[in-house]
Amino acid sequence: MPLITITGLKKTYRLGRVDVPVLRGVDLSIAPGEWVAVLGASGSGKSTLLHLMGGLDRPDRQRGSGGAGGEIVFEGRSLADRSPRDLDRFRAKSVGFVFQFYHLLPELTVLENVGIAGMVLHRRRGRFRAERVGDRARALLAAFGLEHRLAHRPAELSGGERQRVAIARALVNEPMALLADEPTGNLDRATGQRILDAVSAWRAKGGQTIVMVTHDPEVAARADRVVRLEDGRVVGG
Amino acid sequence: MYQALLTRRYLTSKVMPLLAALAVMLCTAMVLIVWSVMGGFLVMLMESGRTLIGDVSISSPGTGFAYYDDLIKRLEADPAVDAATPMIEGYGLLQLPASSGPETVVIKGVDGPSFERVTSYASTLWWRPLDKPLPKDAKRQDPRLSPDRREEFARFFAEGSTLTARSRAGDPVGAMVLGVEVGGYNARQVEGWYSPVVFLPGDTATLSVLPLDRRGRVIPDQATKVLPIANHFRSGLYDIDANTVLVRLDVLQKLLKMEATAAIDPSTRAASVTSRDPATGRESFNQPAATRLAPARITHVLVRAKSGIDADTLRDRCKAVYREFQRAHAADFDPPPPEGGGVRILTWRDRNMTLIAAVEKEIYLVLFIFGIISLTAVFLVLAIFWAMVSEKTKDIGILRAIGAGRLGVAWLWLRYGLAIGVVGSALGGATALLIIANINPIHEWLGRNLHVTVWDPRVYYFNEIPSRFEPLKAAIVLAGGVLASVAGALVPAVKAARMDPIRALRFE
Ligand SMILES: Nc1ncnc2c1ncn2[C@@H]1O[C@H](COP(=O)(O)OP(=O)(O)OP(=O)(O)O)[C@@H](O)[C@H]1O
Ligand SMILES: [Mg+2]
C-alpha cells in the first residue's frame, strides 16, 4: 500500500475576480521509504503541492460536490476526513516540512528552533518527554555538524547552517515523510551536496519517505524517482 | 510548552512589549497611588474626626442638660458601653500672652480621667518627655528629647492629663490645654516636630465665655477668667488643632454658670414680693420658704463603645438608655429634654457625615476618571500587540506548519499579554509602593527645590499627605492591570489564530 496517494488534486487561487488554476488534477502515488523528486518550472505549483500534501492548505472545494478538488490519502486515511485538531497533530507528527527559505524563528536559539517542534507535539510539559526532545535535537544537530552552534541565533548562521537547522527541526519528531521545498536552492553546490548527504544518511537509518521539490537535475538524480509538474499535472515518473 | 518558551524569548528580545509593560506599569501605579492617597485621606479624616469626640455623642448644644452623672452611670452599666464622659462645648475668646488680640476658639470643658477613658486623650498631649525621636527627625532636634527638660515635660504631661496646674501660691487649680496650632505659637518643622515661638505651658491666658441660662438665653454677665496653660494637644486635624481649647470641666461649668446652684423652689414662693410685719409695721422682702439645689449641667456626654461594638449599635443602645434616663427624671426640677427635641444622639460618623460623604464621593469620581484613563492602557496594549502579531506573522505561519493549532497560537498571544500584564503590574505596584512610602519626602523635595507645594495643611486639614497602602486595593488594581493587558491581547490573539498559515508563510 502506498504511503501517500494523490488523486485528481486541484488548487485554484483567486486573484480578484480571476481564478488562477495552479493544480489541475494531480495524480501521484508514493510508496513508503521512497525518495521522490518533484521538478518543475518556477510557478508551476510545486510548493503548493507540498503544502497540500502536508495538510497546511486545503484543495479546492466546489459547491455541492464533495471531492471536486481531489483527494490526498496518507496512510490510508484522507486528509479531508481529519478535523482541524487531527490535522495539526498530523503536521506535527507524521510529516516534517523544510521550506525554501528556512523559516526559522529568529528569537530562538538553534537548539530551541529544533526543540520547539517537539514541544508543539508534546504539548504537556512532561519532563521526561522534554528531555527526550532535547536529546534528540542535540543528536540531530550533532549529526548535521552543528553541535558547537546550539546557543546561536539563526541570524548568526550561514545559509547552509540555517537549512541544516530547518531539516533537523523537520526530523526531530521522527516523521514518516519529509516534505522538502528546494532545500538546496539557495546554497552553493558543495554545501547542497553535503546537506543531501546528511539527509541520505538519516534516511538510510530509518527508511523514511522523502518528497523533495527541486529545479536542479543533479539533486533530482539522488532520488529514486523523478516526477515533473507541468500545466498543473504530474508527468513522468 | 512552546508558548512559555516563546513568551520568554519575545519578552526579552523586543522593545515593543517593554513599552506595553511600561504603559501597564504607569497606569497601575497611577491608579494605585491616587486610590491610596485618597483612601488614606479618608481614613485619616475619619480617624481624626474621631479623636476627642468618642464613638457616640449625646448632646444638647447651648442649654445642656442636668443629672448627667446618673446618665453616665446608666450608660456605663450597659454592656455595649466601655466608658462615658461629660463635656461642655461652647465658644469663647482667648487672649494669649504676647498677642495683639483675642482668638475665637471652640472651648471644650472636659474631665481629664474620664475623657481619657473615652477618647484616649492623653495620647494627643504634645509636651511630654520623649526617648525616641520622630521617624524623620534624624538630627534629634525635637525639644522633647532634651534630657535636661524631662522632669519639666513630665510635669506638663501630668498637668495636661488632669487639666490641673499649680497656681503661684502652689494650690492646684483648673487649667487649659490648647490645640497645638492655636495662635500659631508652635512652628511645625518638616521633620514633624514643633519649635515653640513662645513656649506657652506654665504661662497663663485669659478666657472669656458667654454664659447661657437654662432656656438658652444669654446671661449679660462678665465671664472672664485667667487660667494657667498646662499643655498642648495635637489631634492631627488642623481645624481642631488650630481652634480648640480644652478646659477642666468644673472650671468651665462655673464660668458658664452651669454648676449646681441654690434655686428657689417655685412651689414655696410666697404670693407677694414683700410683706408687712403686723407687729412692727415694717415692710420686708419675702424670703423663699425653701430653696433646692439646681443641678449642674453639661452639653455633651461622649460614649466609647466596647471593642467589637460598632458605632451604630452603640447609638441605638444610647438612645434606649437615654429614653429611660429621661423618663426617670421627667418629674424632677430640671427635666432633661427628650431625644430629638433638644437632645441629639449621633455617632462620630454622623457628626462628620458631610465631610466623609464628600471625600468618599470624590474618591469614586477620581477612580472612575483614572479607570477611564487606564482604558488607554488596554488600547495601547491592543495596538502594540496588533503590530507585533503583524510583525510576527511569519512566526505564526511557521508554528502552524510544525503543528501548532489555532488555539495554541491564540494562547501564545494571550499568554504574552498575561506576561506583559504581570510584569507591568508588578513594576507598577512596586513603583506605587515606593512613591506612597515616600510621598511626604517627595513632596518636601518638590517644595524645597521647585517651590511647588501641592499639599497645604490649611486647606487639607492634615499636616502630612496621608496615604495608606492597602494590600486588597493593590491586589484589585494589579489584577485590573493584568486583566487589561489580557483584554488588550485578546483581539490580536484572535487575529493570529485566524491567520491562514500559507499566507502567513508567504508574508514578507
Ligand atoms: N496565495 C496565493 N494567491 C494567489 N496566487 C498564488 C498564491 N500562492 C501561490 N500562488 C500562485 O500559484 C502559482 C504556484 O505557486 P508555487 O509557489 O506553488 O510555485 P512553485 O512551483 O513553488 O514556484 P517556485 O519554483 O518559484 O517556488 C504561482 O503562479 C503563484 O503566483
Ligand atoms: Mg516554490
Side-chain angles (χ1 to χ4, degrees), chain B residues 421-470:
Chain B
V422 167
V423 170
S425 286
L427 288 177
T431 309
L433 188 59
L434 215 67
I435 290 180
I436 291 165
N438 296 300
I439 192 149
N440 282 299
I442 291 171
H443 183 247
E444 276 155 24
W445 185 89
L446 283 177
R448 261 199 317 279
N449 296 299
L450 306 174
H451 307 288
V452 184
T453 306
V454 186
W455 192 269
D456 183 345
R458 270 152 231 275
V459 179
Y460 288 108
Y461 293 93
F462 305 115
N463 298 305
E464 293 214 309
I465 303 177
S467 63
R468 236 168 102 100
F469 188 83
E470 285 174 57

CSV table of all heavy atoms in Angstrom, one decimal, chain B residues 421-470:
chain,number,residue,atom,x,y,z
B,421,GLY,N,1.2,41.9,31.3
B,421,GLY,CA,0.4,42.4,32.4
B,421,GLY,C,1.0,42.2,33.7
B,421,GLY,O,1.0,43.1,34.6
B,422,VAL,N,1.5,41.0,33.9
B,422,VAL,CA,2.1,40.6,35.2
B,422,VAL,C,3.4,41.5,35.5
B,422,VAL,O,3.5,42.1,36.5
B,422,VAL,CB,2.4,39.1,35.3
B,422,VAL,CG1,3.3,38.8,36.5
B,422,VAL,CG2,1.1,38.3,35.3
B,423,VAL,N,4.2,41.5,34.4
B,423,VAL,CA,5.4,42.3,34.6
B,423,VAL,C,5.1,43.8,34.8
B,423,VAL,O,5.6,44.4,35.8
B,423,VAL,CB,6.3,42.2,33.3
B,423,VAL,CG1,7.5,43.2,33.4
B,423,VAL,CG2,6.9,40.8,33.2
B,424,GLY,N,4.2,44.3,34.0
B,424,GLY,CA,3.8,45.8,34.1
B,424,GLY,C,3.2,46.0,35.5
B,424,GLY,O,3.5,47.0,36.1
B,425,SER,N,2.2,45.2,35.9
B,425,SER,CA,1.5,45.4,37.1
B,425,SER,C,2.5,45.3,38.3
B,425,SER,O,2.4,46.0,39.3
B,425,SER,CB,0.4,44.4,37.3
B,425,SER,OG,-0.6,44.7,36.5
B,426,ALA,N,3.4,44.3,38.2
B,426,ALA,CA,4.3,44.1,39.3
B,426,ALA,C,5.2,45.4,39.5
B,426,ALA,O,5.4,45.9,40.6
B,426,ALA,CB,5.2,42.9,39.1
B,427,LEU,N,5.7,45.8,38.3
B,427,LEU,CA,6.5,47.1,38.3
B,427,LEU,C,5.7,48.2,38.8
B,427,LEU,O,6.2,49.1,39.6
B,427,LEU,CB,7.1,47.4,36.9
B,427,LEU,CG,8.2,46.4,36.5
B,427,LEU,CD1,8.6,46.8,35.0
B,427,LEU,CD2,9.4,46.5,37.4
B,428,GLY,N,4.4,48.3,38.3
B,428,GLY,CA,3.5,49.4,38.8
B,428,GLY,C,3.3,49.4,40.2
B,428,GLY,O,3.3,50.4,40.9
B,429,GLY,N,3.0,48.2,40.8
B,429,GLY,CA,2.8,48.0,42.2
B,429,GLY,C,4.0,48.4,43.0
B,429,GLY,O,3.9,49.2,44.0
B,430,ALA,N,5.2,48.0,42.5
B,430,ALA,CA,6.4,48.4,43.2
B,430,ALA,C,6.6,49.9,43.2
B,430,ALA,O,7.0,50.5,44.2
B,430,ALA,CB,7.6,47.6,42.6
B,431,THR,N,6.4,50.5,42.0
B,431,THR,CA,6.6,51.9,41.9
B,431,THR,C,5.6,52.6,42.8
B,431,THR,O,6.0,53.6,43.6
B,431,THR,CB,6.3,52.4,40.5
B,431,THR,OG1,7.0,51.5,39.6
B,431,THR,CG2,6.6,53.8,40.2
B,432,ALA,N,4.4,52.2,42.8
B,432,ALA,CA,3.4,52.8,43.7
B,432,ALA,C,3.8,52.7,45.1
B,432,ALA,O,3.7,53.7,45.9
B,432,ALA,CB,2.0,52.2,43.4
B,433,LEU,N,4.2,51.5,45.5
B,433,LEU,CA,4.6,51.3,46.9
B,433,LEU,C,5.7,52.3,47.3
B,433,LEU,O,5.7,52.9,48.4
B,433,LEU,CB,5.0,49.8,47.1
B,433,LEU,CG,5.3,49.4,48.5
B,433,LEU,CD1,4.0,49.5,49.3
B,433,LEU,CD2,5.7,47.9,48.5
B,434,LEU,N,6.7,52.4,46.4
B,434,LEU,CA,7.8,53.2,46.6
B,434,LEU,C,7.4,54.7,46.8
B,434,LEU,O,7.9,55.4,47.7
B,434,LEU,CB,8.8,53.1,45.5
B,434,LEU,CG,10.3,53.2,45.8
B,434,LEU,CD1,10.7,51.9,46.6
B,434,LEU,CD2,11.1,53.2,44.5
B,435,ILE,N,6.5,55.1,45.9
B,435,ILE,CA,6.1,56.5,45.9
B,435,ILE,C,5.2,56.8,47.2
B,435,ILE,O,5.4,57.8,47.8
B,435,ILE,CB,5.4,56.9,44.6
B,435,ILE,CG1,6.4,56.9,43.5
B,435,ILE,CG2,4.7,58.2,44.8
B,435,ILE,CD1,5.8,57.3,42.1
B,436,ILE,N,4.3,55.8,47.4
B,436,ILE,CA,3.4,56.0,48.6
B,436,ILE,C,4.2,56.1,49.9
B,436,ILE,O,4.0,56.9,50.7
B,436,ILE,CB,2.4,54.9,48.6
B,436,ILE,CG1,1.4,55.0,47.5
B,436,ILE,CG2,1.6,54.9,49.9
B,436,ILE,CD1,0.6,53.8,47.2
B,437,ALA,N,5.2,55.2,50.0
B,437,ALA,CA,6.0,55.2,51.2
B,437,ALA,C,6.8,56.5,51.4
B,437,ALA,O,7.1,56.9,52.5
B,437,ALA,CB,6.9,54.0,51.2
B,438,ASN,N,7.1,57.1,50.3
B,438,ASN,CA,8.0,58.3,50.4
B,438,ASN,C,7.3,59.6,49.9
B,438,ASN,O,7.9,60.5,49.5
B,438,ASN,CB,9.2,58.1,49.5
B,438,ASN,CG,10.1,57.0,50.1
B,438,ASN,OD1,10.5,57.0,51.2
B,438,ASN,ND2,10.3,55.9,49.3
B,439,ILE,N,6.0,59.5,50.0
B,439,ILE,CA,5.2,60.6,49.3
B,439,ILE,C,5.5,62.0,50.0
B,439,ILE,O,5.7,63.0,49.3
B,439,ILE,CB,3.7,60.3,49.3
B,439,ILE,CG1,3.0,61.4,48.4
B,439,ILE,CG2,3.1,60.4,50.7
B,439,ILE,CD1,1.8,60.8,47.7
B,440,ASN,N,5.7,62.0,51.3
B,440,ASN,CA,6.0,63.2,52.0
B,440,ASN,C,7.4,63.7,51.7
B,440,ASN,O,7.5,64.9,51.4
B,440,ASN,CB,5.7,63.1,53.5
B,440,ASN,CG,4.2,63.2,53.7
B,440,ASN,OD1,3.5,64.2,53.4
B,440,ASN,ND2,3.6,62.1,54.2
B,441,PRO,N,8.4,62.9,51.8
B,441,PRO,CA,9.7,63.4,51.4
B,441,PRO,C,9.7,63.9,50.0
B,441,PRO,O,10.4,64.9,49.7
B,441,PRO,CB,10.6,62.1,51.5
B,441,PRO,CG,9.9,61.3,52.5
B,441,PRO,CD,8.5,61.6,52.4
B,442,ILE,N,9.0,63.2,49.1
B,442,ILE,CA,9.0,63.7,47.7
B,442,ILE,C,8.3,65.0,47.6
B,442,ILE,O,8.8,65.9,46.9
B,442,ILE,CB,8.2,62.6,46.8
B,442,ILE,CG1,9.0,61.3,46.6
B,442,ILE,CG2,7.9,63.2,45.4
B,442,ILE,CD1,8.2,60.2,46.0
B,443,HIS,N,7.3,65.2,48.4
B,443,HIS,CA,6.5,66.4,48.4
B,443,HIS,C,7.4,67.5,48.9
B,443,HIS,O,7.5,68.7,48.4
B,443,HIS,CB,5.3,66.3,49.2
B,443,HIS,CG,4.4,67.5,49.2
B,443,HIS,ND1,4.2,68.2,50.4
B,443,HIS,CD2,3.8,68.1,48.2
B,443,HIS,CE1,3.5,69.3,50.1
B,443,HIS,NE2,3.2,69.2,48.8
B,444,GLU,N,8.1,67.2,50.0
B,444,GLU,CA,9.0,68.2,50.6
B,444,GLU,C,10.1,68.6,49.6
B,444,GLU,O,10.5,69.8,49.5
B,444,GLU,CB,9.6,67.7,51.9
B,444,GLU,CG,8.7,67.9,53.1
B,444,GLU,CD,9.0,66.9,54.2
B,444,GLU,OE1,10.1,66.4,54.3
B,444,GLU,OE2,8.0,66.6,54.9
B,445,TRP,N,10.7,67.6,48.9
B,445,TRP,CA,11.7,67.9,48.0
B,445,TRP,C,11.2,68.8,46.9
B,445,TRP,O,11.8,69.8,46.5
B,445,TRP,CB,12.2,66.5,47.4
B,445,TRP,CG,13.4,66.7,46.5
B,445,TRP,CD1,14.7,66.7,46.8
B,445,TRP,CD2,13.3,67.0,45.1
B,445,TRP,NE1,15.4,66.9,45.7
B,445,TRP,CE2,14.6,67.1,44.6
B,445,TRP,CE3,12.2,67.1,44.1
B,445,TRP,CZ2,14.9,67.3,43.3
B,445,TRP,CZ3,12.6,67.3,42.8
B,445,TRP,CH2,13.9,67.4,42.4
B,446,LEU,N,10.0,68.5,46.4
B,446,LEU,CA,9.4,69.4,45.4
B,446,LEU,C,9.2,70.8,45.9
B,446,LEU,O,9.5,71.7,45.2
B,446,LEU,CB,8.0,68.8,45.0
B,446,LEU,CG,7.9,67.6,44.1
B,446,LEU,CD1,6.5,67.2,43.9
B,446,LEU,CD2,8.6,67.9,42.8
B,447,GLY,N,8.8,70.9,47.2
B,447,GLY,CA,8.6,72.2,47.8
B,447,GLY,C,9.9,73.0,47.9
B,447,GLY,O,10.0,74.1,47.6
B,448,ARG,N,11.0,72.2,48.3
B,448,ARG,CA,12.3,72.9,48.5
B,448,ARG,C,12.9,73.3,47.2
B,448,ARG,O,13.4,74.4,47.0
B,448,ARG,CB,13.2,71.9,49.2
B,448,ARG,CG,13.3,72.2,50.7
B,448,ARG,CD,14.6,71.6,51.3
B,448,ARG,NE,14.9,70.3,50.8
B,448,ARG,CZ,14.3,69.2,51.3
B,448,ARG,NH1,13.4,69.3,52.3
B,448,ARG,NH2,14.6,68.0,50.9
B,449,ASN,N,12.9,72.4,46.2
B,449,ASN,CA,13.7,72.6,45.0
B,449,ASN,C,12.9,73.2,43.9
B,449,ASN,O,13.4,74.0,43.1
B,449,ASN,CB,14.3,71.3,44.5
B,449,ASN,CG,15.3,70.8,45.6
B,449,ASN,OD1,16.3,71.4,45.9
B,449,ASN,ND2,15.0,69.6,46.1
B,450,LEU,N,11.6,73.0,43.8
B,450,LEU,CA,10.8,73.5,42.7
B,450,LEU,C,9.8,74.5,43.2
B,450,LEU,O,9.1,75.1,42.4
B,450,LEU,CB,10.1,72.4,41.9
B,450,LEU,CG,11.1,71.3,41.4
B,450,LEU,CD1,10.3,70.2,40.8
B,450,LEU,CD2,12.1,71.9,40.4
B,451,HIS,N,9.7,74.7,44.6
B,451,HIS,CA,8.8,75.6,45.2
B,451,HIS,C,7.3,75.3,44.8
B,451,HIS,O,6.5,76.1,44.5
B,451,HIS,CB,9.1,77.0,44.8
B,451,HIS,CG,10.5,77.3,45.2
B,451,HIS,ND1,10.9,77.5,46.5
B,451,HIS,CD2,11.6,77.5,44.5
B,451,HIS,CE1,12.2,77.7,46.6
B,451,HIS,NE2,12.7,77.7,45.3
B,452,VAL,N,7.1,74.0,44.7
B,452,VAL,CA,5.7,73.5,44.4
B,452,VAL,C,5.2,72.9,45.7
B,452,VAL,O,5.7,72.0,46.2
B,452,VAL,CB,5.7,72.4,43.4
B,452,VAL,CG1,4.2,72.0,43.0
B,452,VAL,CG2,6.4,72.8,42.1
B,453,THR,N,4.1,73.5,46.3
B,453,THR,CA,3.5,72.9,47.5
B,453,THR,C,2.1,72.6,47.1
B,453,THR,O,1.2,73.5,47.0
B,453,THR,CB,3.6,73.9,48.7
B,453,THR,OG1,4.9,74.3,48.8
B,453,THR,CG2,3.1,73.2,49.9
B,454,VAL,N,1.9,71.3,46.9
B,454,VAL,CA,0.6,70.9,46.5
B,454,VAL,C,-0.3,70.8,47.7
B,454,VAL,O,-1.5,71.1,47.7
B,454,VAL,CB,0.6,69.5,45.8
B,454,VAL,CG1,-0.7,69.1,45.2
B,454,VAL,CG2,1.7,69.5,44.7
B,455,TRP,N,0.3,70.3,48.8
B,455,TRP,CA,-0.4,70.0,50.0
B,455,TRP,C,-0.3,71.1,51.0
B,455,TRP,O,0.8,71.2,51.7
B,455,TRP,CB,0.1,68.6,50.5
B,455,TRP,CG,-0.8,68.1,51.6
B,455,TRP,CD1,-0.7,68.3,52.9
B,455,TRP,CD2,-1.8,67.2,51.4
B,455,TRP,NE1,-1.7,67.6,53.5
B,455,TRP,CE2,-2.4,67.0,52.6
B,455,TRP,CE3,-2.4,66.6,50.2
B,455,TRP,CZ2,-3.5,66.1,52.8
B,455,TRP,CZ3,-3.5,65.8,50.4
B,455,TRP,CH2,-4.0,65.6,51.7
B,456,ASP,N,-1.2,71.9,51.2
B,456,ASP,CA,-1.2,72.9,52.2
B,456,ASP,C,-2.1,72.5,53.4
B,456,ASP,O,-3.3,72.3,53.2
B,456,ASP,CB,-1.7,74.3,51.6
B,456,ASP,CG,-1.6,75.4,52.6
B,456,ASP,OD1,-1.4,75.1,53.8
B,456,ASP,OD2,-1.7,76.6,52.2
B,457,PRO,N,-1.5,72.3,54.5
B,457,PRO,CA,-2.3,71.8,55.6
B,457,PRO,C,-3.5,72.6,56.0
B,457,PRO,O,-4.5,72.2,56.5
B,457,PRO,CB,-1.3,71.7,56.8
B,457,PRO,CG,-0.1,72.5,56.3
B,457,PRO,CD,-0.1,72.5,54.9
B,458,ARG,N,-3.4,73.9,55.7
B,458,ARG,CA,-4.5,74.8,56.0
B,458,ARG,C,-5.7,74.5,55.1
B,458,ARG,O,-6.9,74.7,55.4
B,458,ARG,CB,-4.1,76.2,55.8
B,458,ARG,CG,-3.6,76.8,57.0
B,458,ARG,CD,-2.6,77.9,56.7
B,458,ARG,NE,-1.3,77.7,57.4
B,458,ARG,CZ,-1.1,78.1,58.7
B,458,ARG,NH1,-2.1,78.7,59.3
B,458,ARG,NH2,0.0,77.8,59.3
B,459,VAL,N,-5.4,73.9,53.9
B,459,VAL,CA,-6.5,73.6,53.0
B,459,VAL,C,-7.0,72.1,53.3
B,459,VAL,O,-8.1,71.8,53.2
B,459,VAL,CB,-6.0,73.7,51.6
B,459,VAL,CG1,-7.2,73.3,50.6
B,459,VAL,CG2,-5.6,75.1,51.3
B,460,TYR,N,-6.0,71.3,53.5
B,460,TYR,CA,-6.3,69.8,53.6
B,460,TYR,C,-6.5,69.2,54.9
B,460,TYR,O,-6.4,68.0,55.1
B,460,TYR,CB,-5.3,69.0,52.8
B,460,TYR,CG,-5.4,69.3,51.3
B,460,TYR,CD1,-4.5,70.0,50.6
B,460,TYR,CD2,-6.5,68.7,50.6
B,460,TYR,CE1,-4.6,70.2,49.2
B,460,TYR,CE2,-6.6,68.9,49.2
B,460,TYR,CZ,-5.7,69.6,48.6
B,460,TYR,OH,-5.8,69.8,47.2
B,461,TYR,N,-6.6,70.0,56.0
B,461,TYR,CA,-6.7,69.6,57.3
B,461,TYR,C,-5.5,68.9,57.9
B,461,TYR,O,-5.3,69.0,59.1
B,461,TYR,CB,-7.9,68.5,57.4
B,461,TYR,CG,-9.2,69.1,57.1
B,461,TYR,CD1,-9.7,69.1,55.9
B,461,TYR,CD2,-9.9,69.7,58.1
B,461,TYR,CE1,-11.0,69.6,55.6
B,461,TYR,CE2,-11.2,70.2,57.9
B,461,TYR,CZ,-11.7,70.2,56.6
B,461,TYR,OH,-12.9,70.7,56.4
B,462,PHE,N,-4.7,68.2,57.2
B,462,PHE,CA,-3.6,67.4,57.8
B,462,PHE,C,-2.3,68.1,57.4
B,462,PHE,O,-2.2,68.8,56.4
B,462,PHE,CB,-3.6,66.0,57.3
B,462,PHE,CG,-4.9,65.3,57.5
B,462,PHE,CD1,-5.6,64.9,56.4
B,462,PHE,CD2,-5.3,65.1,58.8
B,462,PHE,CE1,-6.8,64.2,56.6
B,462,PHE,CE2,-6.5,64.4,59.0
B,462,PHE,CZ,-7.3,64.0,57.9
B,463,ASN,N,-1.3,67.9,58.3
B,463,ASN,CA,0.0,68.5,58.0
B,463,ASN,C,0.8,67.7,57.1
B,463,ASN,O,1.7,68.1,56.5
B,463,ASN,CB,0.7,68.7,59.3
B,463,ASN,CG,-0.1,69.6,60.2
B,463,ASN,OD1,-0.3,70.7,59.8
B,463,ASN,ND2,-0.4,69.2,61.4
B,464,GLU,N,0.4,66.4,56.9
B,464,GLU,CA,1.2,65.5,56.1
B,464,GLU,C,0.2,65.0,55.0
B,464,GLU,O,-1.0,64.9,55.2
B,464,GLU,CB,1.7,64.3,56.8
B,464,GLU,CG,2.8,64.7,57.8
B,464,GLU,CD,3.8,63.6,57.9
B,464,GLU,OE1,3.3,62.4,58.1
B,464,GLU,OE2,5.0,63.8,57.8
B,465,ILE,N,0.8,64.6,53.9
B,465,ILE,CA,-0.1,63.9,52.9
B,465,ILE,C,-0.3,62.5,53.4
B,465,ILE,O,0.6,61.7,53.7
B,465,ILE,CB,0.6,63.8,51.5
B,465,ILE,CG1,1.0,65.2,51.0
B,465,ILE,CG2,-0.3,63.1,50.5
B,465,ILE,CD1,1.7,65.2,49.7
B,466,PRO,N,-1.6,62.2,53.7
B,466,PRO,CA,-1.8,60.8,54.2
B,466,PRO,C,-1.8,59.8,53.0
B,466,PRO,O,-2.1,60.2,51.9
B,466,PRO,CB,-3.2,60.9,54.7
B,466,PRO,CG,-3.9,62.0,53.9
B,466,PRO,CD,-2.8,62.9,53.4
B,467,SER,N,-1.4,58.6,53.3
B,467,SER,CA,-1.5,57.6,52.3
B,467,SER,C,-1.6,56.3,53.1
B,467,SER,O,-1.1,56.1,54.2
B,467,SER,CB,-0.4,57.6,51.4
B,467,SER,OG,0.8,57.4,52.1
B,468,ARG,N,-2.1,55.3,52.4
B,468,ARG,CA,-2.3,54.0,53.0
B,468,ARG,C,-2.2,53.0,52.0
B,468,ARG,O,-3.0,52.9,51.0
B,468,ARG,CB,-3.7,53.9,53.6
B,468,ARG,CG,-3.8,53.6,55.0
B,468,ARG,CD,-5.2,53.9,55.5
B,468,ARG,NE,-5.9,52.6,55.6
B,468,ARG,CZ,-6.1,52.0,56.7
B,468,ARG,NH1,-5.7,52.5,57.8
B,468,ARG,NH2,-6.8,50.9,56.8
B,469,PHE,N,-1.2,52.2,52.0
B,469,PHE,CA,-1.0,51.1,51.1
B,469,PHE,C,-1.8,49.9,51.6
B,469,PHE,O,-1.4,49.3,52.6
B,469,PHE,CB,0.4,50.7,50.9
B,469,PHE,CG,0.7,49.8,49.8
B,469,PHE,CD1,0.8,50.2,48.5
B,469,PHE,CD2,0.8,48.4,50.0
B,469,PHE,CE1,1.0,49.4,47.4
B,469,PHE,CE2,1.0,47.5,49.0
B,469,PHE,CZ,1.1,48.0,47.7
B,470,GLU,N,-3.0,49.6,50.9
B,470,GLU,CA,-3.8,48.5,51.4
B,470,GLU,C,-3.6,47.4,50.4
B,470,GLU,O,-3.8,47.5,49.2
B,470,GLU,CB,-5.2,48.9,51.4
B,470,GLU,CG,-5.5,49.8,52.6
B,470,GLU,CD,-7.0,50.3,52.6
B,470,GLU,OE1,-7.9,49.5,52.5
B,470,GLU,OE2,-7.1,51.5,52.6
